[in-house]
Amino acid sequence: MNRDKKPLYRKVNTRARGVIHNFGSDFKYSRNKKRETVEHTKGSMHGKKERGLDYTPLFRFLLSKVGKKWDDIFSEASSRLDKTDPIFWIVALDENEKEEYVRTGESSFFSGLYVDVENKLQLTNPELKAKDMIPYCNCCTHTLNGKVFGTE
């Protein structure tokens, strides 16, 4: 990871009240089994689950690079990340995988991106704006690219 620049992810505040990271209830189903499994002998506590990382800075970085060369964008983004998987949550390399918008959280959405035939990063739907989108419930604040639905 590139230590000269800030990483493109941040740790979610886990001390705030009401922040839920799906902790617990995974190990309770496996702790009282009669026979030993590889997890028990190796001492695994289901460490493959990663919680508490927010990739919003990555998505904003990618949106700011629309129209530029994909190879340069990918190399910079991957040098500032812990893994490259979150890049492809929002960027489609294949024509069939393109989406107008991508849901990244409970009520946060980002415009879908794709790599065109000229190897440049492009918006899937450049006309998509937050003012055109309608929230599906009234209890949450829905956002598109950081802007509240129905505004701007």
Side-chain angles (χ1 to χ4, degrees):
M1 183 158 56
N2 188 354
R3 302 281 181 212
D4 299 335
K5 295 185 178 182
K6 286 179 69 172
L8 290 174
Y9 63 94
R10 59 184 174 219
K11 292 186 178 183
V12 176
N13 185 358
T14 56
R15 295 177 183 245
R17 196 171 154 197
V19 176
I20 300 169
H21 295 293
N22 287 336
F23 283 110
S25 83
D26 298 330
F27 185 65
K28 76 177 185 179
Y29 295 114
S30 62
R31 69 174 175 231
N32 289 323
K33 302 265 185 198
K34 297 294 182 195
R35 63 188 165 150
E36 287 188 1
T37 62
V38 176
E39 294 171 350
H40 289 125
T41 57
K42 299 274 185 188
S44 173
M45 293 291 286
H46 306 282
K48 292 186 173 136
K49 295 187 178 166
E50 297 176 11
R51 300 178 173 116
L53 295 181
D54 178 21
Y55 290 101
T56 303
L58 168 67
F59 303 142
R60 290 187 179 159
F61 169 79
L62 291 171
L63 286 169
S64 71
K65 300 294 183 181
V66 169
K68 302 212 167 102
K69 286 180 49 178
W70 169 245
D71 296 332
D72 298 337
I73 296 167
F74 182 74
S75 65
E76 183 177 351
S78 60
S79 71
R80 295 170 63 185
L81 287 171
D82 57 338
K83 58 185 175 188
T84 59
D85 293 343
I87 295 172
F88 301 107
W89 294 349
I90 192 172
V91 177
L93 296 177
D94 188 4
E95 187 75 24
N96 298 331
E97 296 176 358
K98 291 192 323 186
E99 295 183 31
E100 285 193 5
Y101 56 88
V102 179
R103 183 176 178 180
T104 59
E106 183 177 332
S107 59
S108 60
F109 297 83
F110 283 90
S111 297
L113 302 168
Y114 73 100
V115 180
D116 66 4
V117 293
E118 297 174 357
N119 203 27
K120 291 187 177 183
L121 188 66
Q122 300 294 336
L123 285 169
T124 304
N125 183 359
E127 283 80 40
L128 184 67
K129 304 286 183 212
K131 67 179 178 180
D132 301 329
M133 302 204 48
I134 301 168
Y136 57 88
C137 70
N138 294 329
C139 62
C140 303
T141 303
H142 293 78
T143 60
L144 174 71
N145 300 336
K147 296 182 174 111
V148 178
F149 281 13
T151 61
E152 296 184 39

